[in-house]
Amino acid sequence: MTSLSLADLSKLLSPHLPLGKSRLDTLCLVVLGMISARTVNLTLIATEWPGRAKVASTYRRLQRFFQKVSLPNDWAAGIVIALIGKPPSWYLCLDRTNWKLGKTDINVLVLAVVTARYRVPLMWTVLDHAGNSNTAQRIALVKRYLKQFDVSCVRMLLADREFIGQEWLVFLADAKVPFAIRLKEDQIVRTQDGRLLALKWLLRRCKGVRGFTATLPGRDGHRDLELHFGARRIKGGQELLIVASATKASGSHILRKYKKRWSIECLFADCKTRGLNLEDTHLRCPNRLHLLFGILAVSVALINRAAAQLLGLKHPARKKHGHYAKSWFRTGFDVFRKALACGNLAGIIPTRIPKLRLQRQGVV
């Protein structure tokens, strides 16, 4: 990494962040340092500083940055969207990533944007407990999203069996957020002929793909919710994959959309062992973790943009089994790290990105 690389990134981000020059340079060091060193560990990032300062001095500078700097809650969202090119619509994937630091549980609820080429964290909540998120936390995260973006830019919200519940699904339906969410086999529904049955009993003879419509009975003061289902057997017929959507569609269509949920699992791998080694952090404070996750999101967006610029309209090469030889992320990661080693980011990062006014503006 060279001083020129830091200056280029600082010039790119300065219109978008309310930081002085010293703090902005430190943020840029963290962004480029975690890409170059393949870790978010501040001790290792400190060795990437191109100046004459001692490593210990740079490390203390990084510590002070995370102690003192406070940015708006969703400060990275506008930068991420500007970097990936303002797609007209996208899929949203909701999931948690968690690990332990000593006896401390690090637990982050992440809302990621997925397009044909990109999978990038957009908004997140650092949870103060281990285990699943609750309904209030999920609703609060989606409300934050809807304050910044119009609902029309959501092609589908995708989530696994952890993210269920009457209040949660009714909220999404009332907010007109299209969704495809996997339900548990023991979920009780009301069939069109009025019977109350568990899904596993209703689908006991399911072979191939099955599509049907049923109602989720209202509980705890919530209204009934009519849902459209796609179902099929997986794992050699031992388990049912049951996906529900409030949008009228065939069972095969719902299942096909739900397959894109796996993108967020790939994103977590990009952020962890296959890329930036997020679990190397020693930060425990929720505010500092929130800031670190924002910097991570900017780094991932820059890497994905580098892949898109390299490949243009092409796709990565595929092997004989049909899978990519390198993912979009890995392609951009290698290109970006090579450019950092050569000290020349020209053509890798743009000279400027538009300053988006996100408040209810969608991505137009």
Side-chain angles (χ1 to χ4, degrees):
M1 188 196 309
T2 65
S3 298
L4 182 60
S5 299
L6 284 171
D8 288 342
L9 185 60
S10 179
K11 183 178 179 181
L12 176 70
L13 298 182
S14 60
H16 305 269
L17 294 172
L19 295 174
K21 184 181 185 307
S22 177
R23 296 295 194 202
L24 182 61
D25 287 345
T26 306
L27 185 144
C28 293
L29 170 62
V30 180
V31 170
L32 298 182
M34 68 170 59
I35 296 174
S36 179
R38 287 198 60 180
T39 182
V40 301
N41 186 284
L42 298 184
T43 305
L44 298 178
I45 291 175
T47 65
E48 299 292 323
W49 180 252
R52 295 182 179 180
K54 294 181 179 179
V55 172
S57 176
T58 304
Y59 177 60
R60 184 65 189 126
R61 176 178 181 168
L62 295 175
Q63 286 181 312
R64 287 197 298 268
F65 177 83
F66 282 96
Q67 289 168 358
K68 304 295 184 181
V69 170
S70 178
L71 289 171
N73 207 21
D74 297 314
W75 65 271
I79 298 173
V80 166
I81 295 305
L83 285 171
I84 67 176
K86 300 182 294 183
S89 63
W90 48 51
Y91 292 94
L92 292 177
C93 294
L94 183 66
D95 205 351
R96 287 184 307 114
T97 182
N98 59 283
W99 65 95
K100 290 186 75 72
L101 180 59
K103 294 184 178 180
T104 304
D105 289 287
I106 309 297
N107 198 10
V108 186
L109 179 65
V110 180
L111 188 66
V113 57
V114 176
T115 69
R117 301 186 175 202
Y118 303 106
R119 49 189 187 225
V120 187
L122 188 63
M123 295 180 179
W124 47 88
T125 299
V126 179
L127 303 179
D128 58 359
H129 57 81
N132 297 352
S133 61
N134 58 45
T135 298
Q137 290 165 335
R138 299 169 207 156
I139 290 177
L141 181 58
V142 174
K143 282 184 175 179
R144 278 166 50 196
Y145 173 86
L146 293 175
K147 285 181 180 179
Q148 303 291 343
F149 302 96
D150 194 86
V151 71
S152 62
C153 66
V154 182
R155 192 172 298 181
M156 193 77 77
L157 172 68
L158 311 172
D160 204 359
R161 287 170 291 187
E162 176 183 328
F163 302 95
I164 57 175
Q166 185 80 13
E167 183 181 357
W168 162 244
L169 296 178
V170 168
F171 164 75
L172 292 177
D174 289 345
K176 294 182 172 53
V177 177
F179 62 83
I181 296 177
R182 186 177 180 184
L183 298 187
K184 296 179 179 179
E185 295 182 12
D186 58 0
Q187 175 67 53
I188 302 296
V189 297
R190 183 185 298 116
T191 62
Q192 291 182 308
D193 57 6
R195 296 179 297 163
L196 288 173
L197 295 174
L199 287 171
K200 62 181 178 181
W201 178 255
L202 182 63
L203 296 166
R204 64 192 184 279
R205 297 178 182 175
C206 177
K207 294 181 180 180
V209 175
R210 170 120 176 246
F212 61 97
T213 301
T215 300
L216 205 61
R219 293 187 305 174
D220 302 326
H222 300 290
R223 63 177 177 85
D224 291 355
L225 181 62
E226 184 180 76
L227 295 173
H228 305 278
F229 292 84
R232 68 179 179 88
R233 292 197 175 273
I234 58 175
K235 297 183 179 178
Q238 298 178 3
E239 187 177 339
L240 282 166
L241 172 64
I242 308 168
V243 183
S245 175
T247 306
K248 188 174 182 179
S250 66
S252 59
H253 179 82
I254 294 171
L255 292 174
R256 187 167 60 252
K257 296 296 184 185
Y258 179 76
K259 285 176 65 177
K260 296 182 182 295
R261 192 207 69 84
W262 191 251
S263 295
I264 196 169
E265 303 290 355
C266 297
L267 169 62
F268 290 156
D270 295 340
C271 295
K272 292 181 176 179
T273 55
R274 287 206 307 240
L276 300 173
N277 287 290
L278 177 60
E279 292 172 331
D280 287 352
T281 182
H282 289 179
L283 299 177
R284 302 169 188 260
C285 173
N287 290 337
R288 297 174 191 176
L289 283 168
H290 188 89
L291 177 58
L292 176 66
F293 221 91
I295 297 172
L296 181 84
V298 173
S299 299
V300 172
L302 284 168
I303 290 168
N304 279 273
R305 184 186 176 98
Q309 287 185 322
L310 174 69
L311 296 173
L313 298 177
K314 299 184 296 182
H315 288 273
R318 294 182 183 270
K319 292 188 175 181
K320 290 183 179 179
H321 49 52
H323 296 292
Y324 290 141
K326 283 185 179 181
S327 67
W328 281 96
F329 177 86
R330 185 67 195 200
T331 301
F333 198 33
D334 291 346
V335 169
F336 206 107
R337 295 184 72 225
K338 179 67 173 179
L340 276 177
C342 296
N344 182 16
L345 289 181
I348 300 295
I349 64 172
T351 55
R352 63 178 297 275
I353 52 176
K355 190 172 183 180
L356 299 181
R357 294 181 301 167
L358 293 180
Q359 196 72 20
R360 298 293 294 173
Q361 295 298 312
V363 288
V364 296

